[in-house]
Amino acid sequence: MLRLLEIEFHKLRYSRSAKILVFSYFILLSFIALIASIEFNLGSLEFRVADQGIFNFPFIWHFNAYVASFLKLFLAIVIVSMISNEYSNRTLKQNLIDGLSKKEFISSKFLTVLVLSLASTLFLFILSLILGLSFSDYTEVSIIFSDMEYLLAYLINLIGFFAFCMFAGMLIKRSAFALGFIFIWWVLENIAYGIMKWRLFRDSEIADKIAGFFPLEAMGNLLIEPISRLGAVQSAASQMGSDIEKDYSVHFTDLLIVMGWTVIFVFLSYKLLKKRDL
């Protein structure tokens, strides 16, 4: 395992674009802290974003995980490029000649996915802990470490999405086209959902349940938007005569669906490599 990781990180070490994207990703994650300093002046009304409770424990775990999930595209480019460069630079063929099996090759890529996902989750945990201890109104240990399932959802979200990127890179072999494939897949999922919701089923709940098994939709279901959970938003909605009813919890079934797709994408990547004439 360590040998396979060493091979992959040796390649990343000498990839300037990969290093720039990885560093940019973690720098942008750090910029979540800048939200705390944003102030709005609306006439006589002045308020700071951090004072609205977004950095309160345990809400901060949900909020930061949701915001950080949008930045995963930076690492997605690294994953796709990592695969496509194997073909363009012919390092894949050289690795196989040097004795690396195709199974070990796919394993090395997936291990890299796991390490990047774990590193991102650990970084988000430390960042959220620092921000929470600095701005939260609640600092009891039992409150601080509640709702930690959002970090687990974030981790599974990253692993699943990067496994999908790995599959796209193996299928298409070129970075730009592989990223385009991922975008087209997302569009097709939304079209399929729209057809089911407006054409096939009168009950939208049926369409929602079926769409929940789509890979990208399932990943999105792990982290529902958190802003409407804020007390200020809930209060404003009540004053306008409407109640916000959403299920913000992380469901075990959604975790299983994403993990299932992760296994499928890794398996398909291996099958593609095994059948492909190099």
Side-chain angles (χ1 to χ4, degrees):
M1 182 183 296
L2 290 177
R3 179 176 69 91
L4 297 178
L5 278 174
E6 185 179 352
I7 291 172
E8 290 306 314
F9 281 97
H10 178 77
K11 295 175 184 175
L12 290 176
R13 193 180 304 122
Y14 291 98
S15 173
R16 184 179 179 184
S17 59
K19 288 191 290 186
I20 291 173
L21 286 168
V22 170
F23 282 124
S24 298
Y25 170 76
F26 284 104
I27 289 172
L28 286 173
L29 268 185
S30 303
F31 282 177
I32 293 176
L34 294 180
I35 298 175
S37 62
I38 297 177
E39 295 185 8
F40 291 94
N41 296 309
L42 304 174
S44 59
L45 179 62
E46 296 183 4
F47 69 92
R48 190 173 59 156
V49 174
D51 296 333
Q52 306 310 305
I54 63 171
F55 290 147
N56 277 343
F57 289 118
F59 178 78
I60 189 172
W61 302 118
H62 187 184
F63 176 79
N64 281 2
Y66 179 77
V67 173
S69 67
F70 288 98
L71 301 176
K72 65 189 177 189
L73 292 175
F74 283 85
L75 291 185
I77 297 173
V78 174
I79 301 298
V80 171
S81 300
M82 184 175 66
I83 302 295
S84 62
N85 287 342
E86 296 285 357
Y87 288 97
S88 60
N89 298 333
R90 299 185 179 276
T91 49
L92 168 56
K93 191 171 183 178
Q94 186 61 49
N95 284 157
L96 298 178
I97 292 173
D98 292 340
L100 197 69
S101 69
K102 292 183 177 181
K103 185 176 181 179
E104 286 178 323
F105 178 82
I106 293 297
S107 298
S108 68
K109 298 303 181 186
F110 186 63
L111 283 172
T112 305
V113 163
L114 289 178
V115 170
L116 289 175
S117 300
L118 286 168
S120 177
T121 305
L122 178 61
F123 186 86
L124 185 67
F125 168 76
I126 295 172
L127 177 66
S128 300
L129 193 62
I130 293 172
L131 288 173
L133 292 174
S134 301
F135 296 101
S136 178
D137 297 327
Y138 314 102
T139 55
E140 293 83 356
V141 174
S142 59
I143 295 178
I144 290 175
F145 294 104
S146 60
D147 283 4
M148 295 292 288
E149 63 268 19
Y150 290 107
L151 278 185
L152 174 62
Y154 175 72
L155 174 63
I156 299 301
N157 180 295
L158 289 186
I159 294 173
F161 186 67
F162 294 157
F164 182 37
C165 292
M166 186 175 76
F167 166 70
M170 290 298 302
L171 180 65
I172 309 298
K173 295 195 286 187
R174 293 192 177 184
S175 301
F177 291 111
L179 292 170
F181 169 79
I182 295 170
F183 175 74
I184 291 172
W185 185 300
W186 175 75
V187 171
L188 291 176
E189 280 194 12
N190 282 275
I191 291 174
Y193 173 69
I195 292 172
M196 288 190 298
K197 186 172 183 178
W198 304 110
R199 293 290 183 181
L200 298 182
F201 305 110
R202 293 183 179 180
D203 187 354
S204 62
E205 289 187 5
I206 297 176
D208 290 338
K209 288 180 180 179
I210 295 175
F213 286 92
F214 297 166
L216 294 181
E217 182 68 20
M219 294 171 199
N221 287 341
L222 290 177
L223 292 167
I224 305 299
E225 66 81 20
I227 302 301
S228 54
R229 283 184 63 188
L230 289 170
V233 177
Q234 295 276 353
S235 177
S238 298
Q239 291 177 7
M240 296 176 64
S242 63
D243 293 325
I244 300 174
E245 295 182 1
K246 274 189 178 182
D247 184 2
Y248 301 99
S249 55
V250 177
H251 295 283
F252 184 66
T253 51
D254 292 326
L255 292 171
L256 281 180
I257 291 170
V258 176
M259 287 189 287
W261 276 112
T262 301
V263 173
I264 290 171
F265 288 135
V266 174
F267 176 75
L268 290 177
S269 298
Y270 172 65
K271 283 296 182 181
L272 279 172
L273 181 61
K274 191 175 181 181
K275 292 184 177 181
R276 188 166 284 163
D277 184 11
L278 302 176

